[in-house]
mmCIF file of all heavy atoms in Angstrom:
data_model
loop_
_atom_site.group_PDB
_atom_site.id
_atom_site.type_symbol
_atom_site.label_atom_id
_atom_site.label_comp_id
_atom_site.label_asym_id
_atom_site.label_seq_id
_atom_site.Cartn_x
_atom_site.Cartn_y
_atom_site.Cartn_z
ATOM 1 N N LYS A 498 150.846 75.714 -23.467
ATOM 2 C CA LYS A 498 149.792 76.558 -24.076
ATOM 3 C C LYS A 498 150.252 78.017 -24.186
ATOM 4 O O LYS A 498 149.912 78.714 -25.139
ATOM 5 C CB LYS A 498 148.553 76.467 -23.186
ATOM 6 C CG LYS A 498 147.282 76.943 -23.831
ATOM 7 C CD LYS A 498 146.083 76.608 -22.959
ATOM 8 C CE LYS A 498 144.958 77.569 -23.320
ATOM 9 N NZ LYS A 498 143.967 77.681 -22.272
ATOM 10 N N SER A 499 151.055 78.460 -23.223
ATOM 11 C CA SER A 499 151.490 79.857 -23.186
ATOM 12 C C SER A 499 152.784 80.079 -23.976
ATOM 13 O O SER A 499 153.265 81.211 -24.058
ATOM 14 C CB SER A 499 151.721 80.306 -21.730
ATOM 15 O OG SER A 499 150.632 79.963 -20.925
ATOM 16 N N GLY A 500 153.379 78.990 -24.482
ATOM 17 C CA GLY A 500 154.632 79.127 -25.219
ATOM 18 C C GLY A 500 155.813 79.464 -24.328
ATOM 19 O O GLY A 500 156.788 80.101 -24.752
ATOM 20 N N THR A 501 155.758 79.017 -23.075
ATOM 21 C CA THR A 501 156.869 79.250 -22.141
ATOM 22 C C THR A 501 157.513 77.900 -21.807
ATOM 23 O O THR A 501 156.994 76.854 -22.204
ATOM 24 C CB THR A 501 156.374 79.928 -20.848
ATOM 25 O OG1 THR A 501 155.442 79.050 -20.205
ATOM 26 C CG2 THR A 501 155.707 81.257 -21.143
ATOM 27 N N THR A 502 158.615 77.938 -21.072
ATOM 28 C CA THR A 502 159.280 76.680 -20.722
ATOM 29 C C THR A 502 159.077 76.362 -19.247
ATOM 30 O O THR A 502 158.885 77.267 -18.412
ATOM 31 C CB THR A 502 160.785 76.743 -21.033
ATOM 32 O OG1 THR A 502 161.370 77.782 -20.251
ATOM 33 C CG2 THR A 502 161.043 77.003 -22.501
ATOM 34 N N PHE A 503 159.134 75.067 -18.929
ATOM 35 C CA PHE A 503 159.014 74.615 -17.548
ATOM 36 C C PHE A 503 160.005 73.471 -17.346
ATOM 37 O O PHE A 503 159.886 72.426 -17.987
ATOM 38 C CB PHE A 503 157.575 74.137 -17.277
ATOM 39 C CG PHE A 503 157.340 73.726 -15.854
ATOM 40 C CD1 PHE A 503 156.905 74.651 -14.914
ATOM 41 C CD2 PHE A 503 157.589 72.436 -15.416
ATOM 42 C CE1 PHE A 503 156.705 74.280 -13.591
ATOM 43 C CE2 PHE A 503 157.388 72.048 -14.090
ATOM 44 C CZ PHE A 503 156.941 72.979 -13.186
ATOM 45 N N GLU A 504 160.990 73.710 -16.480
ATOM 46 C CA GLU A 504 162.007 72.675 -16.248
ATOM 47 C C GLU A 504 162.126 72.375 -14.755
ATOM 48 O O GLU A 504 161.780 73.225 -13.939
ATOM 49 C CB GLU A 504 163.380 73.177 -16.754
ATOM 50 C CG GLU A 504 163.469 73.280 -18.263
ATOM 51 C CD GLU A 504 164.659 74.113 -18.717
ATOM 52 O OE1 GLU A 504 165.595 74.290 -17.913
ATOM 53 O OE2 GLU A 504 164.625 74.590 -19.852
ATOM 54 N N GLU A 505 162.673 71.212 -14.454
ATOM 55 C CA GLU A 505 162.903 70.837 -13.052
ATOM 56 C C GLU A 505 164.366 70.486 -12.855
ATOM 57 O O GLU A 505 164.988 69.908 -13.761
ATOM 58 C CB GLU A 505 162.080 69.587 -12.719
ATOM 59 C CG GLU A 505 160.929 69.830 -11.794
ATOM 60 C CD GLU A 505 160.270 68.528 -11.363
ATOM 61 O OE1 GLU A 505 159.859 67.734 -12.224
ATOM 62 O OE2 GLU A 505 160.185 68.301 -10.165
ATOM 63 N N THR A 506 164.907 70.795 -11.683
ATOM 64 C CA THR A 506 166.285 70.402 -11.358
ATOM 65 C C THR A 506 166.360 70.060 -9.865
ATOM 66 O O THR A 506 165.551 70.575 -9.084
ATOM 67 C CB THR A 506 167.294 71.524 -11.703
ATOM 68 O OG1 THR A 506 168.590 71.127 -11.252
ATOM 69 C CG2 THR A 506 166.945 72.845 -11.037
ATOM 70 N N ASP A 507 167.341 69.229 -9.504
ATOM 71 C CA ASP A 507 167.556 68.968 -8.071
ATOM 72 C C ASP A 507 168.824 69.659 -7.580
ATOM 73 O O ASP A 507 169.414 69.264 -6.591
ATOM 74 C CB ASP A 507 167.604 67.455 -7.789
ATOM 75 C CG ASP A 507 168.726 66.754 -8.532
ATOM 76 O OD1 ASP A 507 169.512 67.443 -9.207
ATOM 77 O OD2 ASP A 507 168.811 65.514 -8.431
ATOM 78 N N ASN A 508 169.222 70.715 -8.318
ATOM 79 C CA ASN A 508 170.417 71.459 -7.959
ATOM 80 C C ASN A 508 170.071 72.937 -7.835
ATOM 81 O O ASN A 508 169.677 73.568 -8.815
ATOM 82 C CB ASN A 508 171.491 71.230 -9.036
ATOM 83 C CG ASN A 508 172.808 71.857 -8.670
ATOM 84 O OD1 ASN A 508 172.882 73.054 -8.407
ATOM 85 N ND2 ASN A 508 173.848 71.042 -8.662
ATOM 86 N N MET A 509 170.197 73.471 -6.621
ATOM 87 C CA MET A 509 169.780 74.857 -6.355
ATOM 88 C C MET A 509 170.550 75.843 -7.223
ATOM 89 O O MET A 509 169.974 76.757 -7.829
ATOM 90 C CB MET A 509 169.984 75.180 -4.869
ATOM 91 C CG MET A 509 169.282 76.437 -4.388
ATOM 92 S SD MET A 509 169.616 76.737 -2.638
ATOM 93 C CE MET A 509 168.287 77.830 -2.196
ATOM 94 N N LEU A 510 171.866 75.639 -7.300
ATOM 95 C CA LEU A 510 172.718 76.572 -8.054
ATOM 96 C C LEU A 510 172.384 76.556 -9.546
ATOM 97 O O LEU A 510 172.320 77.609 -10.189
ATOM 98 C CB LEU A 510 174.186 76.223 -7.819
ATOM 99 C CG LEU A 510 175.199 77.326 -8.087
ATOM 100 C CD1 LEU A 510 174.904 78.583 -7.284
ATOM 101 C CD2 LEU A 510 176.619 76.828 -7.782
ATOM 102 N N ASP A 511 172.136 75.358 -10.078
ATOM 103 C CA ASP A 511 171.727 75.257 -11.496
ATOM 104 C C ASP A 511 170.437 76.037 -11.727
ATOM 105 O O ASP A 511 170.269 76.702 -12.761
ATOM 106 C CB ASP A 511 171.483 73.800 -11.904
ATOM 107 C CG ASP A 511 172.767 73.045 -12.127
ATOM 108 O OD1 ASP A 511 173.840 73.684 -12.118
ATOM 109 O OD2 ASP A 511 172.701 71.809 -12.308
ATOM 110 N N GLY A 512 169.518 75.916 -10.777
ATOM 111 C CA GLY A 512 168.251 76.628 -10.901
ATOM 112 C C GLY A 512 168.439 78.141 -10.932
ATOM 113 O O GLY A 512 167.804 78.848 -11.703
ATOM 114 N N PHE A 513 169.363 78.625 -10.097
ATOM 115 C CA PHE A 513 169.586 80.080 -9.991
ATOM 116 C C PHE A 513 170.261 80.668 -11.234
ATOM 117 O O PHE A 513 170.154 81.864 -11.489
ATOM 118 C CB PHE A 513 170.483 80.388 -8.785
ATOM 119 C CG PHE A 513 169.763 80.463 -7.456
ATOM 120 C CD1 PHE A 513 168.687 79.628 -7.165
ATOM 121 C CD2 PHE A 513 170.176 81.346 -6.472
ATOM 122 C CE1 PHE A 513 168.047 79.680 -5.945
ATOM 123 C CE2 PHE A 513 169.545 81.416 -5.244
ATOM 124 C CZ PHE A 513 168.480 80.577 -4.973
ATOM 125 N N LYS A 514 170.958 79.823 -11.981
ATOM 126 C CA LYS A 514 171.812 80.328 -13.061
ATOM 127 C C LYS A 514 171.021 81.197 -14.053
ATOM 128 O O LYS A 514 170.034 80.788 -14.627
ATOM 129 C CB LYS A 514 172.456 79.137 -13.799
ATOM 130 C CG LYS A 514 173.621 79.541 -14.670
ATOM 131 C CD LYS A 514 174.387 78.326 -15.138
ATOM 132 C CE LYS A 514 175.331 78.609 -16.273
ATOM 133 N NZ LYS A 514 175.556 79.952 -16.676
ATOM 134 N N ASP A 515 171.495 82.437 -14.187
ATOM 135 C CA ASP A 515 170.939 83.412 -15.144
ATOM 136 C C ASP A 515 169.479 83.766 -14.898
ATOM 137 O O ASP A 515 168.817 84.327 -15.787
ATOM 138 C CB ASP A 515 171.100 82.936 -16.599
ATOM 139 C CG ASP A 515 172.557 82.706 -16.966
ATOM 140 O OD1 ASP A 515 173.406 83.462 -16.450
ATOM 141 O OD2 ASP A 515 172.849 81.744 -17.715
ATOM 142 N N ALA A 516 168.950 83.454 -13.714
ATOM 143 C CA ALA A 516 167.544 83.765 -13.435
ATOM 144 C C ALA A 516 167.338 85.273 -13.284
ATOM 145 O O ALA A 516 168.194 85.987 -12.751
ATOM 146 C CB ALA A 516 167.092 83.046 -12.176
ATOM 147 N N ASP A 517 166.202 85.756 -13.771
ATOM 148 C CA ASP A 517 165.824 87.163 -13.585
ATOM 149 C C ASP A 517 165.058 87.337 -12.274
ATOM 150 O O ASP A 517 165.038 88.420 -11.694
ATOM 151 C CB ASP A 517 164.916 87.620 -14.744
ATOM 152 C CG ASP A 517 165.612 87.490 -16.081
ATOM 153 O OD1 ASP A 517 166.478 88.341 -16.354
ATOM 154 O OD2 ASP A 517 165.318 86.533 -16.824
ATOM 155 N N ILE A 518 164.409 86.256 -11.852
ATOM 156 C CA ILE A 518 163.621 86.291 -10.618
ATOM 157 C C ILE A 518 163.956 85.040 -9.828
ATOM 158 O O ILE A 518 163.785 83.917 -10.320
ATOM 159 C CB ILE A 518 162.100 86.317 -10.944
ATOM 160 C CG1 ILE A 518 161.754 87.582 -11.744
ATOM 161 C CG2 ILE A 518 161.261 86.244 -9.673
ATOM 162 C CD1 ILE A 518 160.786 87.324 -12.854
ATOM 163 N N VAL A 519 164.449 85.247 -8.609
ATOM 164 C CA VAL A 519 164.786 84.127 -7.722
ATOM 165 C C VAL A 519 163.752 84.107 -6.606
ATOM 166 O O VAL A 519 163.661 85.070 -5.821
ATOM 167 C CB VAL A 519 166.201 84.295 -7.142
ATOM 168 C CG1 VAL A 519 166.474 83.231 -6.088
ATOM 169 C CG2 VAL A 519 167.248 84.243 -8.249
ATOM 170 N N TYR A 520 162.958 83.045 -6.549
ATOM 171 C CA TYR A 520 161.924 82.916 -5.514
ATOM 172 C C TYR A 520 162.261 81.638 -4.762
ATOM 173 O O TYR A 520 161.965 80.536 -5.229
ATOM 174 C CB TYR A 520 160.552 82.815 -6.187
ATOM 175 C CG TYR A 520 159.357 83.150 -5.304
ATOM 176 C CD1 TYR A 520 158.476 84.174 -5.655
ATOM 177 C CD2 TYR A 520 159.091 82.439 -4.136
ATOM 178 C CE1 TYR A 520 157.376 84.491 -4.877
ATOM 179 C CE2 TYR A 520 157.997 82.755 -3.345
ATOM 180 C CZ TYR A 520 157.145 83.775 -3.725
ATOM 181 O OH TYR A 520 156.049 84.087 -2.928
ATOM 182 N N ALA A 521 162.948 81.776 -3.641
ATOM 183 C CA ALA A 521 163.455 80.597 -2.919
ATOM 184 C C ALA A 521 162.885 80.564 -1.512
ATOM 185 O O ALA A 521 163.121 81.475 -0.723
ATOM 186 C CB ALA A 521 164.975 80.634 -2.878
ATOM 187 N N LYS A 522 162.126 79.521 -1.240
ATOM 188 C CA LYS A 522 161.506 79.376 0.083
ATOM 189 C C LYS A 522 161.393 77.905 0.460
ATOM 190 O O LYS A 522 161.475 77.038 -0.407
ATOM 191 C CB LYS A 522 160.133 80.046 0.105
ATOM 192 C CG LYS A 522 159.048 79.220 -0.557
ATOM 193 C CD LYS A 522 157.652 79.744 -0.294
ATOM 194 C CE LYS A 522 157.251 79.840 1.153
ATOM 195 N NZ LYS A 522 157.082 78.514 1.791
ATOM 196 N N SER A 523 161.138 77.657 1.705
ATOM 197 C CA SER A 523 161.030 76.280 2.174
ATOM 198 C C SER A 523 159.603 75.750 2.080
ATOM 199 O O SER A 523 158.645 76.526 2.108
ATOM 200 C CB SER A 523 161.519 76.189 3.617
ATOM 201 O OG SER A 523 161.697 74.843 3.961
ATOM 202 N N TRP A 524 159.481 74.431 1.943
ATOM 203 C CA TRP A 524 158.206 73.740 2.115
ATOM 204 C C TRP A 524 158.501 72.332 2.605
ATOM 205 O O TRP A 524 159.624 71.833 2.480
ATOM 206 C CB TRP A 524 157.369 73.758 0.837
ATOM 207 C CG TRP A 524 157.907 73.065 -0.384
ATOM 208 C CD1 TRP A 524 157.806 71.724 -0.691
ATOM 209 C CD2 TRP A 524 158.589 73.674 -1.489
ATOM 210 N NE1 TRP A 524 158.381 71.483 -1.915
ATOM 211 C CE2 TRP A 524 158.866 72.663 -2.439
ATOM 212 C CE3 TRP A 524 158.984 74.996 -1.794
ATOM 213 C CZ2 TRP A 524 159.529 72.905 -3.643
ATOM 214 C CZ3 TRP A 524 159.644 75.240 -2.992
ATOM 215 C CH2 TRP A 524 159.917 74.207 -3.905
ATOM 216 N N GLY A 525 157.495 71.685 3.172
ATOM 217 C CA GLY A 525 157.702 70.349 3.737
ATOM 218 C C GLY A 525 157.749 69.280 2.658
ATOM 219 O O GLY A 525 157.220 69.469 1.565
ATOM 220 N N PRO A 526 158.366 68.102 2.978
ATOM 221 C CA PRO A 526 158.426 66.987 2.003
ATOM 222 C C PRO A 526 157.107 66.212 2.006
ATOM 223 O O PRO A 526 157.075 64.991 2.220
ATOM 224 C CB PRO A 526 159.582 66.138 2.528
ATOM 225 C CG PRO A 526 159.562 66.350 4.009
ATOM 226 C CD PRO A 526 159.061 67.764 4.248
#
Side-chain angles (χ1 to χ4, degrees):
K498 196 171 157 201
S499 311
T501 62
T502 61
F503 184 90
E504 290 165 19
E505 250 188 305
T506 175
D507 60 4
N508 186 304
M509 195 181 200
L510 200 57
D511 283 353
F513 277 35
K514 196 169 165 8
D515 301 325
D517 300 285
I518 299 139
V519 173
Y520 200 122
K522 78 168 301 291
S523 193
W524 63 84

